Amino acid sequence: SDIIEYQGLFKGLLLTAIISLNLAYLNLLPIPALDGGHLLFLIIEKIQGKPVDEKLAESIANIFFYLLILFMFYIIFNDIVALITNKI
């Protein structure tokens, strides 16, 4: 709301559009926990001509999901440290 108040409605809508596009790009990364991972499995299935083994796909998705959670904890930890040390 601050950007709309100080720079106008158009700048606020532009910021919202940029954030939405960035989220869409990140969601299409070929990480199995995201939509891009599902697309990757569909592409592999189309190339092979048969479905990817369900057990293997589930194992890969679980591993990448845990890596994604660890990455989020790392980012949160860095943000907390930056707040404590007044770097933000």
Side-chain angles (χ1 to χ4, degrees), residues 26-69:
L26 285 175
N27 199 26
L28 287 176
L29 287 175
I31 299 172
L34 302 175
D35 289 335
H38 296 290
L39 289 174
L40 181 66
F41 282 131
L42 289 174
I43 291 169
I44 292 171
E45 181 178 329
K46 189 74 169 171
I47 291 170
Q48 285 183 342
K50 62 178 183 174
V52 178
D53 182 42
E54 198 171 310
K55 187 83 169 162
L56 176 66
E58 186 177 322
S59 297
I60 292 171
N62 284 338
I63 289 169
F64 276 96
F65 178 74
Y66 292 132
L67 288 174
L68 189 63
I69 297 297

Side-chain angles (χ1 to χ4, degrees), residues 12-30:
L13 290 174
L14 187 61
L15 177 65
T16 303
I18 290 170
I19 291 171
S20 296
L21 284 173
N22 283 334
L23 182 60
Y25 290 139
L26 285 175
N27 199 26
L28 287 176
L29 287 175

